[in-house]
Amino acid sequence: DTAVSQTPKYLVTQMGNDKSIKCEQNLGHDTMYWYKQDSKKFLKIMFSYNNKELIINETVPNRFSPKSPDKAHLNLHINSLELGDSAVYFCASSQGGGGYTFGSGTRLTVV
Amino acid sequence: GESVGLHLPTLSVQEGDNSIINCAYSNSASDYFIWYKQESGKGPQFIIDIRSNMDKRQGQRVTVLLNKTVKHLSLQIAATQPGDSAVYFCAERLGGGKLIFGQGTELSVKP
């Protein structure tokens, strides 16, 4: 069983579209995260949820809206996609402030 | 902070040699540090961690050294193998559990 799973793995879409990326973890962790990795491999935190409550929101455009229906799921919805949104998006989870377990990533390409 | 380099730092070693990957972290209040390995097309994977009250921790073929005086972290890999080829990230944990990643170093192992 995959611990942190993201779908889709690849997403190609046109500018202006709205898209969602889903994430699920089966580790029983209480905190989930979204990170963005740019073309230089730099990983930057976007959001963090603890037990469905938003606890970290890093100066991310409000076109990005995370949603956590329960503590095992954290989805990312992006409105009005722009070319600069092209990146790899990683979901992660952790328990008690320990090390994070990452998903395998979603490569988003906006054309 | 953001990555400032145009290219990912790279380290090339011969198979069987030892590798040392260095990292400078930014926040003297960080209490926990982790090294991650990211292979092509995958998410970051936990390698080893160290708490700020320690200066050395060993795992299987890997050792992490922490120098809080100069805010420096290093990862030593003994008898490097082709399967160790990947991008390696150090990460520091700030207050609130937020994990901040360093720039990353690409390790290339020559057979």
Side-chain angles (χ1 to χ4, degrees):
Chain A
D1 269 350
T2 304
V4 180
S5 58
Q6 300 177 223
T7 54
K9 189 169 176 62
Y10 299 97
L11 184 54
V12 181
T13 188
Q14 290 187 324
M15 277 173 47
N17 284 350
D18 303 339
K19 290 293 178 187
S20 292
I21 307 172
K22 297 189 175 188
C23 179
E24 175 182 4
Q25 55 98 2
N26 63 6
L27 299 166
H29 287 171
D30 56 11
T31 309
M32 295 184 72
Y33 312 83
W34 278 109
Y35 275 79
K36 179 180 180 181
Q37 187 171 48
D38 64 21
S39 59
K40 291 181 284 191
K41 299 285 189 182
F42 185 71
L43 275 160
K44 185 169 168 58
I45 191 166
M46 299 173 69
F47 300 104
S48 170
Y49 268 75
N50 180 282
N51 274 321
K52 303 192 296 176
E53 184 181 340
L54 179 66
I55 56 172
I56 294 174
N57 183 345
E58 294 286 305
T59 55
V60 178
N62 57 15
R63 297 182 295 104
F64 290 77
S65 52
K67 285 192 170 48
S68 182
D70 56 61
K71 77 171 196 176
H73 295 84
L74 180 62
N75 303 323
L76 183 64
H77 188 77
I78 315 170
N79 287 329
S80 303
L81 278 154
E82 300 177 356
L83 293 176
D85 297 332
S86 296
V88 182
Y89 292 84
F90 286 100
C91 176
S93 70
S94 71
Q95 178 69 29
Y100 295 10
T101 301
F102 282 84
S104 57
T106 296
R107 181 174 292 277
L108 171 66
T109 304
V110 182
V111 297
Chain B
E2 295 285 340
S3 170
V4 295
L6 289 176
H7 302 287
L8 200 62
T10 58
L11 174 66
S12 184
V13 301
Q14 203 70 38
E15 182 179 358
D17 287 352
N18 297 334
S19 302
I20 300 176
I21 300 171
N22 296 304
C23 175
Y25 64 92
S26 57
N27 195 318
S28 55
S30 294
D31 64 351
Y32 178 57
F33 304 86
I34 310 174
W35 279 100
Y36 282 90
K37 172 186 180 183
Q38 186 179 20
E39 295 174 281
S40 181
K42 297 184 179 179
Q45 294 174 278
F46 174 94
I47 302 173
I48 191 167
D49 59 0
I50 188 167
R51 301 202 178 273
S52 58
N53 60 354
M54 303 170 69
D55 52 23
K56 180 178 179 179
R57 188 153 190 241
Q58 287 184 285
Q60 188 178 18
R61 280 201 309 118
V62 293
T63 300
V64 55
L65 298 177
L66 174 62
N67 185 331
K68 293 183 288 294
T69 304
V70 295
K71 292 191 284 189
H72 183 268
L73 202 61
S74 69
L75 177 71
Q76 299 177 2
I77 305 173
T80 315
Q81 303 167 0
D84 295 326
S85 294
V87 177
Y88 289 81
F89 294 94
C90 67
E92 59 181 307
R93 186 176 69 185
L94 305 181
K98 185 164 73 173
L99 212 56
I100 303 297
F101 283 78
Q103 185 180 15
T105 296
E106 184 166 18
L107 175 65
S108 175
V109 182
K110 295 177 287 188

